[in-house]
Amino acid sequence: MVISEKMTSKQRVMNALKGLPVDRTPVSNPTNVATVELMDLVDAPFPDACRNPELNARLAATGYTELGFDSIAPYFTIIQESSALGCEMQWEQKDNWPTVRMNNPIWKSIEDIKIPENFLHHQDNLTIIDSIKILKQEFGEEVAIIGKTMGPWTLAYHVFGVEKFLLMSIDDPELTIQCLNKLKEISILFGQAQIDAGADVLTYPDHATGDLVSGEYYNRFLLEIHQEAAEDLKVPLILHICGYTLDRMDYIAQNNMAAFHFDSKNDPAKAKEIVDGRIQLIGNVNNPVTLYSKGTQEVREEVYRCLDAGVPLIAPECAIPLATKLENLLEIPKAVKEWTKENKSS
Ligand SMILES: [Zn+2]
């Protein structure tokens, strides 16, 4: 029996983010799925595809046109805002991620936190904003366009340096909260610009990860700020934190965002149990082992594990390695469709 799909990709994603019924589980990536192979295919390599809106849109579209995912996410990296703030950049080549050079942070104290006047017009922010406009025009009816704005915790790592910022959080929690409250304005500003350009959804990465800070940190420093972001930015937000997060998922479930993009270090059934319908889950196919180094059979097993646990949106756990094989990525929507067929006919 052929199961006909009745919804557009966009309806499927938007419904799943709201916990509403869908014709099948969407495959929707909150973070990058571009690979070197896809860059070559459409002649839009890194780093140019991160800095030129036409190339950016062309590469981002392949998530839908080539991979068959239900969303398009044009912000590939985590550094566009930091570049616009004046951080020193290492742009790398097409097989490597651009990064912020961390040895010489731009800011030292709370007084230094200032949003440059041309922030939204900086080439690297404008690339994302203009790319969303292009994608909206071309795919806006059928596919969910997912923008991305970095949360204050991640921005703090980039502008103060990871070690200095973590030390500040221990030495002076009050000052740390004040810094985060200033930095959160940057997240709102860039997020709203992407909504105005046509983004249907925003990913909100804020890397308070299990290997660096405790679960209690999330409650103490970020929960309120994330609730405010969910209030201020009027599209569904997807929080992204990589690594182990089960110890903070109960707090995360209270942040009023639409979904949490979670890592394969967290068992999907346990995660479902903790969030208990308070926030949708999206993920959590393993990148470094499964997608990067295994074959389609292992990819399928992991997709099935998520679907069996009731994860409502399937995705790689984080930005995929740029050398990931296409066949492994293509296997994700294929596995979702076959699982749906098996589970509908039984
Ligand atoms: Zn991540």
Side-chain angles (χ1 to χ4, degrees):
M1 185 177 92
V2 179
I3 307 237
S4 60
E5 295 192 340
K6 295 192 175 64
M7 300 180 121
T8 62
S9 287
K10 182 175 174 174
Q11 290 170 327
R12 199 172 286 134
V13 170
M14 300 313 282
N15 269 23
L17 285 172
K18 291 175 188 144
L20 297 172
V22 286
D23 56 352
R24 71 158 166 81
T25 303
V27 178
S28 175
N29 55 300
T31 50
N32 172 61
V33 289
T35 65
V36 171
E37 241 178 294
L38 290 170
M39 293 176 207
D40 289 342
L41 185 75
V42 296
D43 195 20
F46 275 15
D48 298 347
C50 304
R51 314 200 71 192
N52 169 306
E54 281 79 27
L55 294 183
N56 180 280
R58 210 195 297 166
L59 181 58
T62 61
Y64 175 65
T65 58
E66 303 304 318
L67 302 180
F69 285 19
D70 292 299
S71 56
I72 296 177
Y75 185 162
F76 308 124
T77 71
I78 59 165
I79 48 81
Q80 309 288 138
E81 297 97 314
S82 297
S83 173
L85 291 173
C87 292
E88 226 178 283
M89 304 301 301
Q90 186 150 334
W91 282 103
E92 299 288 355
Q93 293 301 310
K94 78 171 173 189
D95 56 349
N96 219 344
W97 293 100
T99 54
V100 172
R101 284 211 185 98
M102 299 296 244
N103 48 354
N104 197 14
I106 47 167
W107 292 337
K108 288 191 167 60
S109 72
I110 186 162
E111 287 80 31
D112 295 334
I113 302 176
K114 284 198 186 76
I115 307 176
E117 241 171 74
N118 74 338
F119 178 71
L120 289 177
H121 298 281
H122 184 280
Q123 176 189 354
D124 297 323
N125 282 344
L126 212 50
T127 292
I128 306 301
I129 294 166
D130 287 347
S131 171
I132 288 172
K133 288 181 189 164
I134 296 169
L135 292 164
K136 185 72 177 179
Q137 213 171 21
E138 202 166 335
F139 300 100
E141 295 299 312
E142 46 186 313
V143 196
I145 312 289
I146 303 187
K148 182 159 73 180
T149 188
M150 306 307 293
W153 195 269
T154 301
L155 290 171
Y157 283 169
H158 289 174
V159 296
F160 293 118
V162 176
E163 234 179 75
K164 282 217 176 103
F165 180 66
L166 288 176
L167 279 176
M168 187 205 293
S169 74
I170 297 164
D171 292 344
D172 198 339
E174 253 329 294
L175 178 67
T176 307
I177 289 173
Q178 286 169 22
C179 282
L180 291 168
N181 271 305
K182 282 187 94 170
L183 289 169
K184 81 179 178 195
E185 301 304 326
I186 297 171
S187 319
I188 300 290
L189 186 64
F190 193 39
Q192 188 58 49
Q194 293 177 62
I195 294 172
D196 294 343
D200 300 302
V201 179
L202 290 175
T203 300
Y204 187 99
D206 217 8
H207 293 89
T209 58
D211 44 349
L212 289 177
V213 299
S214 73
E216 209 35 57
Y217 256 64
Y218 184 84
N219 183 35
R220 188 162 174 195
F221 292 105
L222 291 175
L223 179 56
E224 221 168 283
I225 286 177
H226 287 181
Q227 286 169 338
E228 284 168 21
E231 172 87 33
D232 290 345
L233 297 164
K234 311 272 185 220
V235 295
L237 298 189
I238 302 174
L239 177 69
H240 169 85
I241 303 179
C242 7
Y244 177 75
T245 47
L246 284 177
D247 62 351
R248 61 210 67 194
M249 238 180 251
D250 179 51
Y251 296 128
I252 287 170
Q254 299 171 49
N255 70 12
N256 300 334
M257 293 191 186
F260 177 47
H261 186 209
F262 73 130
D263 191 298
S264 63
K265 289 196 179 85
N266 310 282
D267 177 68
K270 262 193 206 131
K272 275 283 285 184
E273 201 183 303
I274 295 171
V275 302
D276 193 26
R278 291 173 293 171
I279 191 168
Q280 304 302 322
L281 290 169
I282 174 164
N284 73 357
V285 181
N286 176 279
N287 285 343
V289 180
T290 312
L291 283 174
Y292 181 67
S293 72
K294 301 281 182 175
T296 53
Q297 182 58 33
E298 288 88 351
V299 173
R300 166 168 307 236
E301 279 163 20
E302 243 180 83
V303 171
Y304 271 47
R305 193 167 76 111
C306 289
L307 291 166
D308 289 338
V311 174
L313 299 106
I314 304 298
E317 60 187 350
C318 186
I320 59 164
L322 297 174
T324 305
K325 288 174 285 207
L326 277 192
E327 57 172 1
N328 279 357
L329 294 169
L330 290 165
E331 185 65 21
I332 301 175
K334 217 168 126 195
V336 169
K337 285 174 191 165
E338 270 164 42
W339 183 92
T340 308
K341 211 154 101 184
E342 287 167 22
N343 283 269
K344 275 198 177 159
S345 53
S346 63

